[in-house]
Amino acid sequence: MKKMGTVQRKKMSERVLTLLLAFLCTAALLFSGKPVEAEEAGQNSIRLKSEEEGAAFTLYKAADKQDDGTFVLTKDFAAAGTEVNDLTTDGLANLGAVLSAYIEKNHPQPVSTMKITDGTCQWTGLQDGLYLAVGSLISRDGKLLEFSPVVAYLPYTDNGTKMRDLDSEVKPPAAVPENTQYSVYKVWKDETGAGRPDSVEVSLIQQDASGSTVYDTRVLDKNNNWTYTWKNLPSGYIYKAIENKVPQGYTQTVIRGRAKTIITNTRPSGKNTLTAVASGKLPQTGQLWWPVPVLVAAGLLCLLVGFWKKTGNEKKTGDRH
């Protein structure tokens, strides 16, 4: 009888130790914070390379990445009213044109400004999303030089591999002709035109190496054939036109020429989806993690109940012996 009691106590100790280990594992899972994938989301980086030593670039986060892999404009850029999920070459070019002009007019809060040092500048610890790096104008030999905006979305895929570190060669700044005349044209793509507003407002942005400001604002409508031309503009500046408020239900695209801007408002025909360029055919990683510790805890509870029932039964058997 004494030997049997010793064996039972040994088995009970082993079971208690097993349950204790299971409990500690559950506690670690419950309080471990975000899953690995979520932590990686704050480990993106963007590095720009340029031969223009000392040139300043300002980084903006224009869109957040959703759990389903799509992008949505941030609060600061919501009024830009442009499509952010067309990540083809043309789509990214349009984003650069629309968002850079939007920045020059509205001056949203940037991530930070960096200068090219030893040929590079870099931002680290970035969240998943769509970013725009805008270079400041350079005044050289009496001319204004302009960098093309750099549009990047993170993470991206390279041959099926998810990448969180982006290196980009910045194109050399180009001399922009100084215009004393600038035109803006409004184009509509909305089939019948039902629901189209009677007019829209556009502003002309005046920019030099010291910054940018709104030079003038005009109304476009049927009476002026949805177009306007500013004449006798002050020299020594770069000019761009921007729509002040994109009509509800429309998105805008922009084509910018040497002395004109064509703004097209399109009413989407259906729900926008990610292009193959954006998705990279990768599975989504936005699955829910909260049920995992709950299920583990429930399993542990079942083990405890079974343990105490079995212990009670063994005790009764031992008492009978």
Side-chain angles (χ1 to χ4, degrees):
M1 294 289 292
K2 185 175 180 180
K3 183 177 181 180
M4 181 63 70
T6 301
V7 172
Q8 288 178 348
R9 285 195 296 272
K10 184 178 179 181
K11 289 182 177 180
M12 182 180 296
S13 298
E14 291 175 349
R15 291 168 183 162
V16 170
L17 180 59
T18 300
L19 290 171
L20 179 60
L21 290 173
F23 174 78
L24 291 175
C25 290
T26 302
L29 184 58
L30 283 168
F31 298 103
S32 62
K34 296 181 180 180
V36 173
E37 175 63 24
E39 292 175 354
E40 289 179 352
Q43 299 301 317
N44 300 304
S45 70
I46 295 175
R47 183 171 64 172
L48 302 183
K49 301 178 182 179
S50 173
E51 295 181 358
E52 291 292 334
E53 195 71 12
F57 287 85
T58 303
L59 186 70
Y60 298 85
K61 186 179 184 184
D64 295 315
K65 190 173 184 180
Q66 306 300 291
D67 289 340
D68 63 359
T70 60
F71 294 97
V72 175
L73 288 168
T74 63
K75 182 179 179 181
D76 284 348
F77 284 86
T82 190
E83 172 57 51
V84 292
N85 287 304
D86 178 8
L87 303 183
T88 61
T89 301
D90 290 342
L92 292 176
N94 174 68
L95 275 174
V98 173
L99 297 182
S100 60
Y102 181 87
I103 288 168
E104 289 153 13
K105 176 181 180 292
N106 297 283
H107 307 289
Q109 183 67 31
V111 175
S112 65
T113 298
M114 306 283 287
K115 288 187 176 182
I116 298 294
T117 304
D118 295 330
T120 66
C121 66
Q122 184 174 13
W123 294 268
T124 60
L126 301 174
Q127 296 294 322
D128 289 0
L130 189 143
Y131 293 85
L132 187 76
V134 180
S136 297
L137 293 180
I138 297 175
S139 180
R140 181 181 297 161
D141 299 328
K143 295 183 178 180
L144 290 175
L145 306 182
E146 183 180 27
F147 289 99
S148 297
V150 178
V151 183
Y153 57 91
L154 296 167
Y156 66 99
T157 58
D158 184 10
N159 294 325
T161 301
K162 182 181 290 186
M163 307 292 292
R164 294 190 175 277
D165 300 313
L166 176 69
D167 286 353
S168 179
E169 292 279 354
V170 179
K171 295 179 180 180
V176 180
E178 298 179 8
N179 301 302
T180 57
Q181 180 171 303
Y182 202 91
S183 300
V184 61
Y185 303 87
K186 162 64 68 178
V187 177
W188 296 95
K189 287 187 177 180
D190 52 2
E191 297 180 354
T192 63
R196 182 188 301 177
D198 295 331
S199 63
V200 297
E201 277 190 354
V202 294
S203 290
L204 186 68
I205 308 301
Q206 184 186 72
Q207 184 182 16
D208 61 11
S210 64
S212 59
T213 187
V214 175
Y215 176 79
D216 189 32
T217 298
R218 294 288 173 171
V219 173
L220 303 185
D221 55 23
K222 291 182 179 180
N223 294 327
N224 55 22
N225 293 319
W226 303 97
T227 184
Y228 186 81
T229 297
W230 289 271
K231 299 178 180 180
N232 301 318
L233 295 172
S235 60
Y237 298 93
I238 290 175
Y239 293 94
K240 299 176 182 177
I242 182 173
E243 186 172 17
N244 288 341
K245 184 178 180 181
V246 179
Q248 186 174 2
Y250 289 82
T251 59
Q252 69 164 322
T253 55
V254 167
I255 297 176
R256 184 164 293 126
R258 296 182 60 176
K260 66 181 179 181
T261 293
I262 301 173
I263 303 173
T264 301
N265 279 167
T266 302
R267 179 181 290 145
S269 57
K271 185 178 180 181
N272 295 319
T273 57
L274 274 178
T275 65
V277 176
S279 66
K281 303 299 182 182
L282 289 176
Q284 299 304 321
T285 56
Q287 65 268 25
L288 297 177
W289 279 79
W290 66 264
V292 176
V294 173
L295 293 174
V296 174
L300 179 59
L301 180 61
C302 292
L303 287 174
L304 285 170
V305 172
F307 168 74
W308 291 118
K309 284 185 176 181
K310 186 173 183 180
T311 301
N313 292 335
E314 292 179 350
K315 185 176 180 181
K316 291 178 181 178
T317 303
D319 291 340
R320 286 198 294 270
H321 286 293

